[in-house]
Amino acid sequence: DQVLHIVPETFQQVQHLQHLCSTLLLDLWKPLLPQDIWAGEDLHIRVPATLVKEVKDSLDQHMISYKVLIPDVQELVDQSMPRERSSHRQVAEGYVYTEYHPMEEIYQWMTRIQESYSELVTQHSLGKTFENREMYYLQISQPSDKAKKIVWMDCGIHAREWISPAFCQWFVKEILQNYKSDPKISRFLQNLDLYVLPVLNIDGYIYSWEQERLWRKNRSPYNNGTCYGTDLNRNFNSSWGSVGVSYNCSSEIFCGPGPESEPETRAVAQFIEQKKSDILCYLTIHSYGQYILTPYGSTTEPPSNSEELMFVAKQAASALIGKYGTSYQVGPTSLILYNNSGSSRDWAHMIGIPFSYTFELRDNGTYGFLLPSDQIQPTCEETM
Amino acid sequence: QDIADVGHKYHLELVLEDVLAKDSTVNCTAEVLYHLGHQPSAPEVQVTLQGELRNTAEADNVFYNRVKSLDQELVAENIPDSQGTVPPALEPLHLLAWVASGYLIWQNSTESTKLQLAQVKRVQQVRRSDEYLEFDYLVLLHEMVSQEIIPWQMRVLWHPQHGVQVTEDRHQPQHRLQ
């Protein structure tokens, strides 16, 4: 089907077009009714594929010039489908984990997860974002009489890295759907509690859905509202502001006016600080690049337990490559990537959390931040 | 390899993988020389392929004829879109952008940058009277170290037998949507 754009020049042309539309029952997009067709006014008609030639011949015969506005309507419809699907409301059981979801749906998902798995899951708030949104995390904890250590995972600290929140949601689903049947998961939950924050930078995430897909930072205003956003992963109190940052708000790696200047950073830092003696492992999920990064970014001095950190990370990377052949590089950020200070991972390690890792998920730059949704499943499966 | 007063030379051994035919690989070696100095200049590159690249003449011609036969200049935006989707009909335009941005990346790289094509923001065909196809692209490049997204405009010429050329390019001023 094609959509044609015509501007009739004479009354005779208008008459002919009205005749054509009524006899062939053509779909008028603009105006809506044949009687509203006027000379000098834009006319948009959708012509079914089978009638395209006939209509064009007729227009040529009557010396009516036209332009093809949309050469293939079906193509456009197909293109818009994924977006339509993601605005449908999702039920917990029918939730589509292989699609990207806007924040509203993620909030609804968290509520439903807690309801469906209330024997294990509780939802809590860490605080509020700059734009006053609640920062909810899910606590997955099997009731037991022994005190358990904690594994913390946060996703979505950088708005544009959509595969990251998608992974947190997938991870929660996998754990909850399989904890009774999978011996590894079952043993895991007997000994450890899981705390998952699916979207840390909620304001930024929403902004990347509604305004600018490649936005990275949060949304706090600076310079009298002429500039927005601090890079939350440069805002933690770990050698803050020393290297790999910018002091200029317009930069993507603006570290903020001071360490923990941002409400989101404070909310997370306060919580982790409070629980630090029980936290065994801190994981923060990003994209892209395919790395498992260990401390530090601010210095090449190795952390005290660097051998152990590397050993565990290498095991993770080999398990990962075993699934679909996706290779991940392992090592300290300062050596294999670039220098940066104020990262959450460095901070977690500095306050005493022994295992602290940044995961940079798929891919290697082919799609970068715009990872197609058909890669959500394999990415999440291999990362499990 | 440090070459005193000249620059830093890197010897690389690479495996090239065909994006459209994943089992098709070719080994290659390259030498890249980054010049010292205050004047930014593109690194010098020498490449030796140890094998042949796959022949794509047929697919090239199909795309070429398709575009030549359109009544109106091709226009498209956001490739891939927010969900990472590229409609099959627009895939060749995406690939062309990729190749052409490779040129921009080469011309603008230093030892401390890592540039990738993030997205084609907009592409508009430019009508020509000769046999070449010409496209005006606005692409977004992602620079890994600064994490910046850099808009770049480029004019790309292409013909199945004569290959790809970037005839002009301009680094766009970054604007922030408030």
Side-chain angles (χ1 to χ4, degrees):
Chain A
D1 294 4
Q2 295 197 338
V3 175
L4 304 181
H5 175 212
I6 300 163
V7 183
E9 285 157 13
T10 67
F11 185 60
Q12 268 163 327
Q13 289 190 349
V14 169
Q15 277 191 313
H16 177 70
L17 286 162
Q18 286 172 334
H19 175 79
L20 212 55
C21 288
S22 341
T23 44
L24 294 179
L25 297 175
L26 297 178
D27 180 9
L28 271 175
W29 281 18
K30 177 176 167 167
L32 291 171
L33 299 169
Q35 51 259 46
D36 295 328
I37 299 176
W38 292 95
E41 296 288 311
D42 281 343
L43 174 63
H44 296 170
I45 331 173
R46 180 182 65 84
V47 182
T50 47
L51 293 174
V52 167
K53 180 156 175 12
E54 183 180 338
V55 169
K56 285 182 177 174
D57 285 346
S58 174
L59 294 174
D60 290 337
Q61 261 184 346
H62 286 80
M63 308 282 275
I64 302 176
S65 61
Y66 61 90
K67 278 203 176 145
V68 178
L69 194 62
I70 301 176
D72 186 342
V73 176
Q74 187 58 48
E75 204 166 63
L76 227 50
V77 170
D78 292 341
Q79 236 179 305
S80 67
M81 276 305 267
R83 261 175 268 147
E84 264 185 63
R85 251 185 285 144
S86 63
S87 68
H88 280 34
R89 269 193 301 147
Q90 310 285 2
V91 175
E93 297 315 311
Y95 196 74
V96 185
Y97 290 91
T98 50
E99 272 174 20
Y100 295 114
H101 291 273
M103 199 60 214
E104 262 320 296
E105 289 175 14
I106 299 179
Y107 274 129
Q108 286 165 10
W109 168 80
M110 278 196 268
T111 307
R112 290 187 181 107
I113 287 285
Q114 191 195 237
E115 285 167 3
S116 307
Y117 295 96
S118 51
E119 72 277 14
L120 234 46
V121 181
T122 44
Q123 183 180 326
H124 308 265
S125 176
L126 287 173
K128 289 197 182 178
T129 64
F130 180 81
E131 289 175 348
N132 246 335
R133 298 187 174 93
E134 291 291 344
M135 295 172 65
Y136 290 122
Y137 70 91
L138 294 172
Q139 179 180 343
I140 304 175
S141 193
Q142 196 155 40
S144 138
D145 44 6
K146 64 175 173 182
K148 282 177 269 155
K149 289 288 184 186
I150 298 169
V151 172
W152 165 279
M153 180 164 73
D154 60 67
C155 293
I157 197 174
H158 289 140
R160 58 195 181 200
E161 299 168 7
W162 287 12
I163 186 65
S164 165
F167 174 71
C168 267
Q169 291 166 69
W170 182 283
F171 181 83
V172 166
K173 172 227 358 153
E174 276 300 302
I175 297 284
L176 295 176
Q177 282 181 355
N178 299 305
Y179 78 97
K180 288 184 181 154
S181 52
D182 185 323
K184 275 195 211 159
I185 300 181
S186 157
R187 216 181 75 190
F188 189 84
L189 289 180
Q190 275 161 28
N191 297 303
L192 294 161
D193 284 345
L194 272 169
Y195 288 50
V196 179
L197 174 59
V199 185
L200 198 159
N201 179 8
I202 298 172
D203 299 343
Y205 186 68
I206 293 175
Y207 192 76
S208 74
W209 269 82
E210 297 176 355
Q211 302 286 354
E212 207 179 305
R213 175 59 176 87
L214 296 175
W215 188 259
R216 169 182 167 87
K217 307 182 286 178
N218 76 345
R219 292 294 300 164
S220 43
Y222 287 97
N223 303 344
N224 279 323
T226 58
C227 176
Y228 282 80
T230 296
D231 182 342
L232 296 173
N233 206 32
R234 301 285 187 281
N235 190 240
F236 282 79
N237 199 5
S238 43
S239 308
W240 177 87
S242 57
V243 68
V245 295
S246 168
Y247 306 113
N248 192 327
C249 169
S250 37
S251 163
E252 297 281 19
I253 49 179
F254 174 52
C255 53
E260 293 185 18
S261 58
E262 305 305 304
E264 295 90 351
T265 315
R266 276 197 305 274
V268 173
Q270 272 162 21
F271 181 80
I272 296 190
E273 174 74 52
Q274 205 190 34
K275 301 246 178 203
K276 67 180 177 191
S277 42
D278 292 322
I279 303 180
L280 177 65
C281 179
Y282 173 84
L283 296 170
T284 178
I285 313 295
H286 294 237
S287 80
Y288 57 90
Q290 293 171 201
Y291 300 102
I292 300 177
L293 299 168
T294 59
Y296 295 107
S298 48
T299 166
T300 49
E301 266 300 304
S304 46
N305 61 337
S306 85
E307 265 175 40
E308 214 183 358
L309 274 170
M310 284 298 289
F311 179 73
V312 172
K314 283 187 181 152
Q315 298 241 291
S318 11
L320 224 160
I321 198 175
K323 186 83 181 170
Y324 293 113
T326 312
S327 67
Y328 270 60
Q329 277 180 277
V330 175
T333 305
S334 52
L335 287 179
I336 69 174
L337 196 53
Y338 45 55
N339 287 317
N340 72 320
S341 56
S343 73
S344 63
R345 174 213 57 236
D346 283 0
W347 176 79
H349 193 270
M350 285 176 180
I351 62 165
I353 295 170
F355 292 97
S356 186
Y357 296 100
T358 304
F359 271 73
E360 295 274 357
L361 300 177
R362 290 197 192 180
D363 57 17
N364 254 324
T366 309
Y367 285 96
F369 300 118
L370 305 179
L371 194 68
S373 39
D374 60 17
Q375 286 203 41
I376 296 179
Q377 181 163 349
T379 305
C380 293
E381 283 181 344
E382 70 195 5
T383 315
M384 288 304 295
Chain B
Q1 188 189 12
D2 275 336
I3 306 179
D5 293 338
V6 177
H8 299 141
K9 194 181 229 192
Y10 293 83
H11 299 273
L12 304 166
E13 280 174 24
L14 308 165
V15 179
L16 300 181
E17 181 189 75
D18 191 325
V19 171
L20 299 176
K22 298 274 170 162
D23 358 301
S24 181
T25 61
V26 180
N27 289 334
C28 94
T29 58
E31 281 186 0
V32 181
L33 173 61
Y34 290 99
H35 281 276
L36 289 174
H38 303 293
Q39 284 287 63
S41 67
E44 272 177 46
V45 181
Q46 304 259 35
V47 177
T48 315
L49 282 178
Q50 284 142 12
E52 268 176 32
L53 297 174
R54 189 171 59 99
N55 187 302
T56 56
E58 201 187 312
D60 287 344
N61 284 318
V62 167
F63 174 58
Y64 179 78
N65 289 320
R66 228 189 82 210
V67 178
K68 272 288 181 188
S69 67
L70 291 174
D71 316 300
Q72 246 200 330
E73 285 79 18
L74 226 168
V75 181
E77 289 184 336
N78 294 331
I79 309 171
D81 66 14
S82 287
Q83 314 287 327
T85 312
V86 179
L90 296 179
E91 186 61 37
L93 277 181
H94 184 214
L95 294 169
L96 183 60
W98 217 347
V99 174
S101 349
Y103 172 79
L104 288 184
I105 291 172
W106 167 37
Q107 292 296 302
N108 292 282
S109 286
T110 69
E111 281 169 283
S112 335
T113 60
K114 185 168 145 115
L115 287 159
Q116 303 269 20
L117 172 66
Q119 190 184 38
V120 175
K121 204 65 192 138
R122 194 182 145 86
V123 55
Q124 167 122 32
Q125 184 185 359
V126 178
R127 211 160 254 305
R128 286 183 75 90
S129 47
D130 63 16
E131 42 167 12
Y132 280 85
L133 292 183
E134 185 172 359
F135 298 95
D136 190 291
Y137 275 99
L138 176 63
V139 292
L140 298 177
L141 298 182
H142 171 232
E143 202 289 291
M144 191 64 95
V145 180
S146 63
Q147 286 296 326
E148 294 297 330
I149 301 289
I150 311 165
W152 217 297
Q153 180 259 337
M154 58 181 182
R155 276 293 175 98
V156 182
L157 231 51
W158 177 68
H159 185 277
Q161 275 90 58
H162 306 311
V164 182
Q165 249 184 296
V166 176
T167 52
E168 34 168 288
D169 69 90
R170 228 174 359 143
H171 176 159
Q172 300 289 87
Q174 274 154 280
H175 65 99
R176 281 274 163 260
L177 301 164
Q178 297 299 347

